[in-house]
Amino acid sequence: MRWALVKVCLAVTTMVVVAFAVPLGLVVKEMARDRAFSNAEREAAAVAPALSITTDRDQLERVVASAGAGSRMTVHLPADGGRAALDLGRRRAADPDIRTVRRLGRASTTTVPGGSTLLQPVALGSGAIAVVEVYVPESEVTNGVGTAWAVLAAVGLALIIGSVAVADRLGVRMVRPARRLVEGARELGEGELGARVPEDGPTELRLAATAFNAMADQVVQLLANERELAADLSHRLRTPLTVLRLNAASLGGGPAAEQTRAAVAQLEREVDTIIRTAREAKPQTAAAGPGAGCDAAEVVRERMEFWSALAEDEGRTWRVAGVDRPVRVPVARADLAAALDALLGNVFRHTAEGTAFAVDVHNGEDAVIVLVSDAGPGISDPEAAMARGRGSGHTGSTGLGLDIVRRLAESTGGDVRIGSSVLGGTEVRIWLQPAGRGPVGRGRRGTVRRRRPGKSVLAFNRPRSLP
């Protein structure tokens, strides 16, 4: 497209330059010729008054010399009163041409070797007709024509080069957005769902880029909806499983009770396997492109409303803070919900009934921090817990919850920390780096960070429903 535009512009500009330069060059040549013969007419007119007064050879030679014509001028005097015809100067024109001018009585030009001559008739005092011949060499006729043509050629060449340069820039302006659109389509086809195209360039390509970005956003949204549906299904399975496991624990001894607890454990393992397989197989949809991201505060409120019913059944006090205003994070809504459910599920699974917990959201200048803390027994070895979060597994824990959380945080350039909370149990901090902000200042992953009592902004109430 780029070179086609350059070729078209080159052809059009060349035709325009030729169409204007050739006639203009001919006009310049004609003007130079007219100028040369005008000078010759002026020189011939300078001796006309003297010829009307006298025909004396000496006087006429002085007049011709004073006219500045020098050897270029010749005066042809006719025979008169017994005096023979006289030529003052070098004759160049032929006798028939001179006789024709005398007979017709008007000026004429004729071609001679080396140039042209102007034959100007002048009436003498006796009534006879003399002819003044002025020689115009070819060099005078073409004086300045070569320079003018060179200037015209240079101007035409400059116009052609300039038009080619402008066409090349216009071609780049058109081709570059088209190439970006092709690259974006290729990246999207290869599974990079964060691929977007800058909406710039010509109107048509800008509209195409807008349509492409809208299509990519729709694809991301469709995949996010599928993931959210999968997350909802997993939530629906995990919550009754948690209740069923707690009820099975209260059945006491006996073969039936043991079989029930074994069946529940087996069912939990199967669900974990299904979820793990789904996470490993699904495409990465969390991208920094337009359309990605969610309101963390809204997601926290929604999930806390979901888990508050089970918390009330188990007599757990809970509190949520920092969700009174929107907090944008560059992760998909379903991903954040799955991470919160994983952490809250761990609280219910690994702490006794009646254990308090809290979720706190901090929106800082360089990071968004989501804290999930509880008043349980805590984690004795955070390093090992984070290792399990990377998929090694451990007795009584699949490590799936921390793996979900770690993937979420690292997709934004953040990380996960495990420490001790002011409640005396575990505190899991999720550092999320918002899009367009600088790197998150963070310490070594998995370090236990102890806080002094009295510094918490959280207070605990009896179970309640969110508005």
Side-chain angles (χ1 to χ4, degrees):
M1 180 186 296
R2 174 183 175 184
W3 294 115
L5 181 62
V6 171
K7 290 179 181 179
V8 171
C9 187
L10 177 62
V12 172
T13 306
T14 302
M15 289 189 294
V16 172
V17 169
V18 171
F20 280 93
V22 171
L24 189 59
L26 296 177
V27 169
V28 169
K29 182 180 180 179
E30 189 64 26
M31 290 177 61
R33 178 181 176 83
D34 292 343
R35 182 180 65 248
F37 281 97
S38 296
N39 293 335
E41 290 177 357
R42 188 169 54 255
E43 293 174 0
V47 300
L51 289 173
S52 63
I53 296 174
T54 182
T55 58
D56 182 72
R57 182 187 182 97
D58 295 336
Q59 291 182 0
L60 290 177
E61 287 179 350
R62 286 194 296 271
V63 170
V64 170
S66 64
S71 61
R72 297 198 317 155
M73 182 179 291
T74 302
V75 179
H76 303 283
L77 297 175
D80 185 20
R83 186 187 62 183
L86 178 64
D87 293 333
L88 299 178
R90 177 185 174 185
R91 173 192 287 268
R92 291 181 176 85
D95 288 339
D97 295 331
I98 296 175
R99 287 194 299 268
T100 300
V101 170
R102 281 198 180 108
R103 186 178 70 252
L104 297 177
R106 59 173 182 268
S108 176
T109 60
T110 182
T111 302
V112 297
S116 301
T117 59
L118 171 67
L119 300 177
Q120 179 69 43
V122 178
L124 301 177
S126 62
I129 301 297
V131 177
V132 179
E133 177 186 343
V134 180
Y135 173 65
V136 181
E138 188 66 26
S139 60
E140 186 174 347
V141 174
T142 59
N143 184 30
V145 174
T147 303
W149 283 6
V151 172
L152 287 175
V155 172
L157 184 61
L159 288 175
I160 292 175
I161 295 176
S163 66
V164 170
V166 172
D168 182 70
R169 291 299 91 196
L170 291 176
V172 169
R173 185 171 177 266
M174 295 178 62
V175 170
R176 187 173 297 164
R179 287 180 177 174
R180 286 198 294 257
L181 186 60
V182 172
E183 292 173 359
R186 183 182 298 111
E187 291 175 359
L188 186 63
E190 292 174 353
E192 299 181 16
L193 302 182
R196 297 296 183 273
V197 179
E199 298 176 4
D200 56 8
T203 303
E204 293 78 7
L205 291 177
R206 188 165 59 250
L207 293 176
T210 302
F212 175 83
N213 291 338
M215 178 193 67
D217 292 342
Q218 185 67 19
V219 170
V220 171
Q221 185 61 42
L222 291 175
L223 291 176
N225 291 340
E226 291 184 3
R227 297 177 65 186
E228 187 172 359
L229 177 60
D232 288 343
L233 292 176
S234 66
H235 297 155
R236 294 177 184 179
L237 289 173
R238 280 191 172 278
T239 301
L241 279 176
T242 301
V243 176
L244 184 60
R245 180 179 56 82
L246 296 176
N247 291 336
S250 62
L251 292 178
E258 292 298 331
Q259 291 177 359
T260 301
R261 284 191 285 268
V264 171
Q266 178 64 28
L267 184 57
E268 285 185 328
R269 286 193 296 271
E270 294 296 337
V271 170
D272 290 341
T273 302
I274 294 173
I275 297 176
R276 184 184 296 107
T277 303
R279 286 194 58 83
E280 292 174 354
K282 71 177 185 300
Q284 296 294 326
T285 59
C294 67
D295 181 2
E298 181 181 358
V299 175
V300 170
R301 290 196 302 267
E302 176 186 325
R303 300 321 303 161
M304 286 301 294
E305 183 176 4
F306 176 85
W307 286 96
S308 62
L310 185 57
E312 185 173 357
D313 292 340
E314 296 188 359
R316 297 175 183 266
T317 56
W318 58 274
R319 177 61 184 249
V320 61
V323 295
D324 54 340
R325 63 184 61 186
V327 180
R328 298 296 302 179
V329 291
V331 295
R333 180 187 184 91
D335 288 345
L336 182 58
L340 287 173
D341 286 339
L343 294 180
L344 293 174
N346 286 342
V347 172
F348 280 80
R349 188 176 298 109
H350 300 295
T351 62
E353 295 185 8
T355 302
F357 68 97
V359 178
D360 190 9
V361 179
H362 294 282
N363 187 13
E365 295 182 357
D366 59 353
V368 173
I369 305 173
V370 180
L371 296 92
V372 178
S373 54
D374 61 64
I379 298 177
S380 59
D381 191 351
E383 295 286 352
M386 289 305 302
R388 291 198 303 274
R390 292 182 178 273
S392 64
H394 189 271
T395 304
S397 174
T398 64
L400 180 62
L402 288 178
D403 184 63
I404 293 173
V405 177
R406 180 184 61 81
R407 289 174 183 266
L408 175 76
E410 292 181 352
S411 69
T412 69
D415 66 2
V416 178
R417 302 177 184 178
I418 300 178
S420 298
S421 71
V422 294
L423 304 178
T426 303
E427 177 184 82
V428 180
R429 290 190 178 190
I430 310 173
W431 292 70
L432 303 175
Q433 180 165 342
R437 301 190 188 178
V440 178
R442 53 187 183 269
R444 184 170 60 91
R445 183 181 293 119
T447 302
V448 178
R449 300 174 57 88
R450 297 190 178 274
R451 298 162 58 186
R452 291 179 297 174
K455 294 297 184 178
S456 175
V457 296
L458 305 178
F460 292 89
N461 298 326
R462 295 301 300 171
R464 60 178 178 84
S465 299
L466 293 177

